[in-house]
Amino acid sequence: MGPRIVVSFDAADGIVPGQTQVKNKAVTLGVVQGVSLSPDMTHADVTIQMSGIDPHTLNEHTRFWVVSPRINGASITGLDTLFSGAYIAMDPGKPGEGRYQNHFKGLEAPPGIRSDKPGSTYWLVSSSLESLGAGAPIFYRDVQVGEILGYTMPPGGEGPLLIKAFVKAPYDHYLRQDSRFWNVSGMQIGFGAGGMDIRLQSFQALLSGGVAFGRPDKAQMEEDTPSALPNSVFHLYKTKEDADNARYRHKVPVLTYVDTAVAGLTEGSKVTMFGLQVGQVTGVHLELGDKRHNPRVRVEMQLEPERVIADDELASVQRSDLISDFVAEGMRASVQNVSFLTGEAMIALSFVHEKGHEPPEVKRENGVAVIPSQPGGMDSILQSVSTITDKISAMPLTQIGDHLNDILMHSDERLRSPEITRSLAGLSGSLVALNHLLDHADEHLPELMTNLNGTLAQARTMLSSYGGNPDFRRNLEELIVQLTRMSRSFHQLADYLDHHPSSFITGRGP
């Protein structure tokens, strides 16, 4: 016969005296002899007769719990008890450790790990538990390597939570001092340049939550980083992206003020330059304004030079004031939309070239540089449209309309004046006379040409009769030449008027 022990449980559900057994690794080590209620009626005392066990295995590290059908997240345990009934499981703890005892406090739930399971425990610090619970899996490179054992609330309920995690051997040796833990609970859905991105670690993590750990990309090449010691403390990040960003140790605080809508801009939003992330937003606050300025939004940021600058150039960058140089070259901050579907926004740093303006000096608030801002996205387009609208509104359209009406009114009066009426009547008479001349031009020109030809014939006759006088002959020859030219000119005039009768009014064309 073995020793007789007493195990106290909050309730004795499923425990039957003489029938319920105590087992370890499916081997029976004792039988329940009796169940009684404590004198203060706060718990049930279960008396167990142990057999075939060394009394030294019963110590302060020994644990007992009731095995029954249990659903924990995505795992279901104790289904075999549906037919055989509940039993009490025992974990003896590490042999040779602790003092012998015969009274124990039973566990209300199965422990996360058994004493004979090799591995190491660690602590995770988080501001919230979210969907993590006891039994939630721990992943390393998509392989389940451990589980969450439980959590501890801070004193007074204020402050971060301490989550106890267990990593099985040999995976605990993969955990280094620079490793990062992040939450993989549920399903992560995002919209990027490639469309919708859906991430799901496992079906179990979807139901019961989960945690994953890994090392930064650059740190994976350094094998000399020491392994994490048991009970080391790590920060639990909300996402893998947050865990990756934690490796950037050099941060440059800056801020900007915007007077446009900042919907979708929150803590953790990206800060980009030429489309590449160079930092993140650390705070968004509304300032109601005072006598110096109107209401505006204060956006606090942290620039991370390590994202775009090599390690060997980081020292030289820290010694120089790049922010002042960039602002002098036209760097401005603006709020840009990342996705119209999700409404996510970010801060974009861009360079503008303002002709005729002196570069502004960088202002500082408590040593933090203030980057000038400008409207971005739809706000920039709406501001441009508003500027054009304001210019149109500033035009004296009413006065211009009044002047046009006045001009039209006075023009009508001038057209009806006696002077214009007499001028139009005289012009009409001139047109009638010109039409009469054109109508009779064909009748008079042939008669004129006939007379001219007769004159030329008489001149030739006189030349032949008085050919003996040289002077007379020379004068007559000149007369004949001039008459011939005149005749040719009349011929050309008659032909031109025949084809262009309107030349009497418009003149000869080019």
Side-chain angles (χ1 to χ4, degrees), residues 282-480:
T282 57
V284 181
H285 310 284
L286 175 63
E287 293 187 355
L288 297 180
D290 49 25
K291 295 180 180 179
R292 296 175 299 173
H293 59 80
N294 295 326
R296 58 185 182 177
V297 178
R298 176 189 174 100
V299 181
E300 300 171 353
M301 301 168 283
Q302 281 187 342
L303 303 183
E304 298 160 339
E306 292 174 287
R307 290 180 178 271
V308 293
I309 299 177
D311 295 339
D312 54 351
E313 300 177 358
L314 188 60
S316 60
V317 170
Q318 290 177 336
R319 290 193 298 267
S320 63
D321 192 357
L322 284 182
I323 302 300
S324 298
D325 296 340
F326 286 164
V327 171
E329 293 177 3
M331 186 175 72
R332 302 292 184 269
S334 61
V335 180
Q336 301 285 348
N337 294 323
V338 177
S339 173
F340 288 101
L341 296 177
T342 61
E344 182 182 359
M346 67 178 182
I347 294 293
L349 303 178
S350 58
F351 290 84
V352 297
H353 302 283
E354 299 178 351
K355 297 182 179 180
H357 295 276
E358 292 293 332
E361 295 183 0
V362 177
K363 298 180 181 179
R364 295 185 181 272
E365 296 183 3
N366 298 325
V368 179
V370 180
I371 301 177
S373 66
Q374 67 174 4
M378 290 299 298
D379 291 329
S380 177
I381 298 175
L382 292 176
Q383 185 176 19
S384 300
V385 174
S386 177
T387 301
I388 297 174
T389 305
D390 293 340
K391 291 182 179 180
I392 295 176
S393 300
M395 296 175 62
L397 298 178
T398 303
Q399 298 178 5
I400 293 174
D402 294 339
H403 288 313
L404 288 176
N405 291 333
D406 183 67
I407 291 172
L408 293 175
M409 183 181 302
H410 287 80
S411 298
D412 186 62
E413 294 177 355
R414 291 188 180 93
L415 290 176
R416 295 179 180 180
S417 63
E419 293 81 2
I420 297 297
T421 303
R422 288 194 297 270
S423 299
L424 291 177
L427 179 60
S428 177
S430 300
L431 292 176
V432 171
L434 181 59
N435 289 332
H436 178 75
L437 177 62
L438 291 175
D439 293 338
H440 295 80
D442 293 339
E443 301 176 1
H444 296 289
L445 282 176
E447 180 180 357
L448 179 61
M449 295 301 298
T450 301
N451 294 334
L452 183 59
N453 290 333
T455 303
L456 288 174
Q458 293 177 2
R460 290 190 181 92
T461 303
M462 292 175 62
L463 180 60
S464 58
S465 301
Y466 298 94
N469 190 342
D471 294 335
F472 178 79
R473 182 180 180 87
R474 182 171 58 256
N475 295 333
L476 188 59
E477 287 178 352
E478 292 178 359
L479 177 63
I480 293 173

